[in-house]
Amino acid sequence: MNEFVTRTTQSDRSGPSSDEHPPNAPDDGLRSVSVLSARRPWSAVVVAAFMMLLMLAPMLPALATPAHALGGGSTHAGRYEYGNVPVWMGSFRLDDGRIAWCAFDPGMPSPIDGDFSYTDWVPESSFSSGNGVDLSGEVLERAAYVLATWGDTDDEFTARAVYRALHLHTGVGFSLRNGEQLTQDTAELADHMWQEAGRFGGPHTLADPELTSQHAGQRVEAALQTPRGRSGEAMPGDVVATITGPGVWDETGTAELRFAQDTTKTIRSIGRGDITVKVARAVPSTHLLIARPTVDGAQRLVASAENVAISAEATVAVVSQFQPAADTTAQTWRHDDASEDDLPQMGAPLVDTLHVRADGEVPWLPALDGSGSLPATFAVDWYYSPRPLPRSPKPPAEAEHFDRVQATATGPGDLIVSSKRVVDRSGWFYPVVSFRVADQPHQFRDRFAADFIADFHAEREQTVVPWRPRVVTQASEIVDGQVTDLISVSGNDPAAELTVVSELWMSHEPAHAEGLSEAPADAERLATVSTTITGNETVSTEPVDVPWSRFVGEDVWPNLYWVEHIDRSPSTERWQGRHLLPHETIALTRPTATTKTARNLVTGEQTTDTATVAGTIPTSNRSENVRTELSFSLYRFDDSTDGGAQPVCLAPMWTQPKPIAVTKPGDYVSEPVTIRDPGTYGFRHHLSTAVTRTSDAGTDTSGASDAHGPAQTTMLHEGECGADGETVVAVPPPVPPVDGEPAPPAEHIAPVASTETALAATGVPAPVIWVAAGVSMIVLGTGAVLRRRRP
């Protein structure tokens, strides 16, 4: 390229990108460049030809290929006039606005010197100038930096400095001495450009942002760096940091931030997920854009260099909200294993344990001010129902709201809450735990994801306050050899089905006014009967057979008594009766009998014995066939009638032909017996029981055909020989009366032993005393009659 200088009038210009003020920077406004001397004479023909070209230049068609339209360049700095021949010294503007430079091929014709076409722009990292200088590596990279930074200037002074730097510092050199001389005034600026290119030129690096999660991901600290050039020095100029994802810069409240030097900024999460922070800016390329002519020998066009994007990025997970949640374990009564202390007590509050957690993958978040974990206030609502209710998403209409309390958790863990209202009824209480964002402090609300409410009757969220039944019992009398227990239940769950277990015990211990908590040492359980009731009822148990054979032979019979208990049900507390309560005790008394018969009689008359039986009379039942019988025997002691006979009961003179069945206490009369001979007699009674086990408890026990095994016979009571009231004196009938004396009625005749004895002592034959109408008469053997009043 020929090197001449002319004047230009360009007012728009730009300086280097360095933050340092470049030396000799032009002022705004018009700039005139002095024409340097060393003029050469030119022929008039050449001058005329050149002038013709100037006149025709506007009408010349653009030198263009399909890739490039090359303009005249008159609108850009670098057009100089020297003498009469205009030449380009530096750059010119293409029709598409791009700045093209002709700086590396000294002596080669420029595009306007011929009809040349050019290829597309090609990035090249090595270049051989027209005068044989190879450009590559740092030299080419510095040249690229100068062109990318100042190559599009509209300022003539800066443009000549660029031209000088490209020629002088790359080593390509000027084709003519005056080219260097013409740019001498920009030497200092050109030197500055080359030095800056060494500091900030490529290749460039840009470090990834260092992202540090803070406050469990609610904040991110981002350490950002600007690009570094070849020297490692940070490049001046703005860098754009852009957030992709749920986050914004605290400083701007937007996703974009500009910074000009290494810095640390804070990102605020606005959601949950991953955010990517990308830092980017354009830096001068390390290559040149070259357009090569399609024919040899033409000037190659250097379309400056280009600014290429450089970026770096990093990703981090962020959260802005978490979800507080909880389930509860209600203090409740469990009929299978709860102790008395576990029971919700009447008059005490309901107790619930909240197992607080953060739902999902996001943990419990701390407060942004560093004061600890975020507080979350839960509410617990209790609902009451007299009947158990199923699980449902929300409380059913029949559930009665009982109470509501709030409690604040500062992190996962257990939180115990109690109702303000105390328990005042039995039934089912259902705690429902909830979390509502609106209940939280205003400054924390945006940290919580959503409301939370547990299901009604969720697992372990049921409190049962059990009913405590009251039981009144009464043992029955023995009927048909059996006993029953009368049970009256109150205070029970109206819908609960309970099983009352009644146990029949046997003990010689007497009844106790308040009963005993434990069975006596000698107590033996005889039978167990279960009775089912629903709600509150009065029922009798199934009858239980009295096991007569177990004690009938004992001298002292035991007591029978009932003791009851009710096991826990899902809604009812256990109830336990006491041993030997008076109203539950049946006193058994071994049967006895007392007898009485006629004192004296006349031979030939009949007499009977009457036995009064007392005590507990064994009777048959389903499992035992029992025969309790009373029989009588009459013994003759001797022939005496004076009352002095000694009782002798060796062999009875008479025995009750058929024993009398005894089924209850009372009087039993023997069959009559006729005493024919005078003398002294005595009755004896025999009360016995025969017990036979039956083969089938359900058979009729009235007969013995179902008996199983030998009978167990026990003599319950037997009269003494000669017992008081059991002696009978039989005397002969009276002597017939003397003629003339009426005989007294036979039924009014009775011997008087004491009188007989007195008369016998005199030697007088024994008289017969007649008693009639209240008058005693002694009939003597001589026929005389003595009369006296009965005292």
Side-chain angles (χ1 to χ4, degrees):
M1 177 184 292
N2 295 319
E3 299 169 354
F4 297 93
V5 68
T6 183
R7 293 176 297 178
T8 182
T9 55
Q10 292 294 104
S11 61
D12 188 19
R13 53 198 180 269
S14 63
S17 63
S18 172
D19 54 352
E20 301 176 4
H21 189 68
N24 300 323
D27 297 329
D28 291 338
L30 299 177
R31 179 176 178 82
S32 297
V33 180
S34 300
V35 178
L36 300 180
S37 54
R39 294 179 179 270
R40 297 176 184 177
W42 293 86
S43 66
V45 175
V46 174
V47 173
F50 183 71
M51 296 300 294
M52 181 66 70
L53 286 172
L54 289 176
M55 296 174 63
L56 296 175
M59 297 180 289
L60 292 175
L63 301 177
T65 68
H68 300 296
L70 305 181
S74 60
T75 60
H76 188 265
R79 179 182 177 186
Y80 297 92
E81 246 180 62
Y82 186 81
N84 298 319
V85 181
V87 295
W88 277 266
M89 190 180 199
S91 63
F92 59 95
R93 187 182 300 276
L94 304 179
D95 287 349
D96 62 2
R98 184 183 292 272
I99 304 298
W101 288 83
C102 301
F104 296 133
D105 288 335
M108 299 294 287
S110 67
I112 66 170
D113 290 338
D115 187 8
F116 304 133
S117 62
Y118 289 81
T119 65
D120 286 337
W121 303 107
V122 177
E124 295 190 11
S125 298
S126 63
F127 185 86
S128 295
S129 66
N131 58 357
V133 177
D134 292 330
L135 301 179
S136 63
E138 182 178 355
V139 174
L140 186 140
E141 290 164 358
R142 286 200 187 194
Y145 181 88
V146 171
L147 284 172
T149 305
W150 292 282
D152 62 347
T153 181
D154 287 336
D155 177 69
E156 175 269 333
F157 183 82
T158 304
R160 287 191 296 116
V162 172
Y163 182 78
R164 181 181 178 87
L166 296 180
H167 267 265
L168 183 61
H169 291 291
T170 60
V172 173
F174 295 94
S175 62
L176 298 175
R177 285 180 64 251
N178 59 351
E180 183 176 357
Q181 295 170 355
L182 290 174
T183 59
Q184 187 63 44
D185 59 338
T186 64
E188 187 176 359
L189 179 56
D191 291 345
H192 172 81
M193 291 177 178
W194 196 254
Q195 291 170 0
E196 185 176 314
R199 293 170 60 194
F200 304 131
H204 299 93
T205 59
L206 182 58
D208 291 337
E210 294 182 7
L211 305 180
T212 304
S213 179
Q214 296 180 332
H215 302 292
Q218 299 174 91
R219 290 281 190 271
V220 174
E221 183 181 83
L224 309 175
Q225 292 187 3
T226 58
R228 265 59 176 169
R230 174 186 293 274
S231 67
E233 188 175 351
M235 290 186 64
D238 284 350
V239 181
V240 178
T242 305
I243 299 172
T244 302
V248 295
W249 296 104
D250 255 348
E251 186 175 311
T252 64
T254 64
E256 186 174 291
L257 174 74
R258 291 181 177 272
F259 63 97
Q261 58 186 5
D262 295 352
T263 186
T264 298
K265 301 293 183 181
T266 303
I267 299 170
R268 182 177 75 252
S269 172
I270 57 172
R272 176 173 175 262
D274 289 341
I275 64 168
T276 298
V277 178
K278 180 177 181 180
V279 290
R281 66 161 285 180
V283 295
S285 67
T286 57
H287 58 263
L288 299 174
L289 292 179
I290 306 298
R292 296 183 179 273
T294 56
V295 297
D296 293 336
Q299 174 76 232
R300 285 170 295 181
L301 300 179
V302 180
S304 183
E306 60 182 342
N307 286 310
V308 295
I310 184 172
S311 65
E313 63 183 39
T315 300
V316 69
V318 297
V319 297
S320 63
Q321 298 174 328
F322 77 104
Q323 181 60 64
D327 56 88
T328 65
T329 299
Q331 182 198 40
T332 187
W333 173 82
R334 294 179 177 85
H335 70 280
D336 51 354
D337 60 1
S339 67
E340 190 71 23
D341 293 339
D342 295 331
L343 301 180
Q345 301 293 331
M346 288 288 180
L350 294 164
V351 178
D352 208 16
T353 301
L354 275 63
H355 307 292
V356 179
R357 66 183 187 277
D359 254 0
E361 299 177 0
V362 181
W364 197 285
L365 297 180
L368 293 177
D369 59 5
S371 59
S373 296
L374 285 169
T377 298
F378 290 86
V380 178
D381 290 271
W382 279 276
Y383 296 85
Y384 169 77
S385 172
R387 302 262 36 89
L389 297 175
R391 184 169 184 162
S392 59
K394 61 181 181 179
E398 59 267 35
E400 174 191 341
H401 189 267
F402 183 78
D403 200 8
R404 186 172 200 261
V405 297
Q406 288 186 320
T408 300
T410 56
D414 288 349
L415 184 65
I416 297 177
V417 296
S418 300
S419 64
K420 300 186 296 291
R421 186 176 174 184
V422 298
V423 176
D424 57 0
R425 68 195 81 173
S426 298
W428 283 260
F429 294 84
Y430 297 97
V432 178
V433 59
S434 62
F435 171 86
R436 293 177 175 83
V437 174
D439 293 341
Q440 313 311 310
H442 180 77
Q443 67 272 24
F444 297 141
R445 290 179 186 173
D446 62 344
R447 299 289 92 189
F448 303 111
D451 292 347
F452 163 83
I453 184 168
D455 283 352
F456 177 85
H457 193 180
E459 186 180 2
R460 304 191 310 276
E461 298 199 346
Q462 172 182 264
T463 295
V464 180
V465 177
W467 276 263
R468 291 174 171 81
R470 295 178 296 277
V471 182
V472 177
T473 57
Q474 177 68 55
S476 70
E477 298 292 337
I478 298 175
V479 178
D480 295 331
Q482 297 176 316
V483 291
T484 58
D485 193 19
L486 184 66
I487 304 167
S488 180
V489 178
S490 61
N492 183 29
D493 176 2
E497 184 179 89
L498 299 181
T499 299
V500 182
V501 179
S502 301
E503 297 174 342
L504 182 64
W505 291 71
M506 179 174 69
S507 173
H508 289 86
E509 185 79 14
H512 290 254
E514 301 298 327
L516 301 175
S517 60
E518 301 290 339
D522 71 333
E524 180 181 355
R525 183 166 47 203
L526 301 176
T528 300
V529 179
S530 295
T531 307
T532 301
I533 65 169
T534 300
N536 300 298
E537 290 185 313
T538 299
V539 296
S540 290
T541 64
E542 292 182 2
V544 175
D545 294 344
V546 177
W548 304 107
S549 59
R550 301 291 300 278
F551 55 81
V552 69
E554 296 182 6
D555 292 337
V556 178
W557 283 11
N559 294 323
L560 300 179
Y561 69 88
W562 289 100
V563 62
E564 305 84 5
H565 72 267
I566 300 174
D567 287 335
R568 288 171 170 167
S569 77
S571 63
T572 308
E573 175 57 301
R574 175 181 173 84
W575 180 85
Q576 176 63 58
R578 298 178 68 82
H579 293 257
L580 286 169
L581 286 168
H583 57 273
E584 287 283 53
T585 302
I586 304 169
L588 301 181
T589 305
R590 183 183 173 102
T592 60
T594 58
T595 54
K596 185 177 183 181
T597 186
R599 174 68 176 168
N600 296 309
L601 54 78
V602 177
T603 57
E605 293 180 341
Q606 290 183 333
T607 186
T608 60
D609 193 15
T610 300
T612 301
V613 179
T616 304
I617 308 303
T619 54
S620 297
N621 50 43
R622 295 171 299 180
S623 58
E624 293 180 337
N625 186 20
V626 181
R627 289 284 296 176
T628 301
E629 297 176 332
L630 181 66
S631 64
F632 297 89
S633 299
L634 181 63
Y635 295 86
R636 189 172 189 274
F637 299 155
D638 58 24
D639 295 336
S640 65
T641 59
D642 59 1
Q646 294 297 317
V648 177
C649 301
L650 296 177
M653 61 166 289
W654 174 86
T655 300
Q656 176 87 18
K658 182 179 180 181
I660 301 172
V662 177
T663 58
K664 61 182 179 179
D667 292 343
Y668 293 86
V669 180
S670 69
E671 291 187 16
V673 56
T674 302
I675 299 179
R676 301 188 181 278
D677 298 319
T680 301
Y681 299 83
F683 276 101
R684 294 184 68 188
H685 66 272
H686 311 280
L687 181 63
S688 64
T689 293
V691 181
T692 305
R693 297 287 297 173
T694 59
S695 58
D696 184 355
T699 59
D700 182 4
T701 58
S702 61
S705 60
D706 294 317
H708 179 71
Q712 175 186 349
T713 301
T714 301
M715 184 60 68
L716 299 175
H717 193 265
E718 194 169 22
E720 295 181 7
C721 182
D724 290 343
E726 288 284 72
T727 302
V728 178
V729 177
V731 296
V735 176
V738 178
D739 293 341
E741 292 288 334
E747 62 271 17
H748 296 295
I749 301 174
V752 180
S754 59
T755 305
E756 292 174 316
T757 304
L759 292 178
T762 64
V764 180
V768 176
I769 299 175
W770 296 88
V771 180
V775 178
S776 298
M777 294 178 295
I778 301 176
V779 181
L780 304 178
T782 60
V785 177
L786 302 178
R787 301 169 187 256
R788 64 180 177 89
R789 279 291 169 194
R790 181 181 299 171

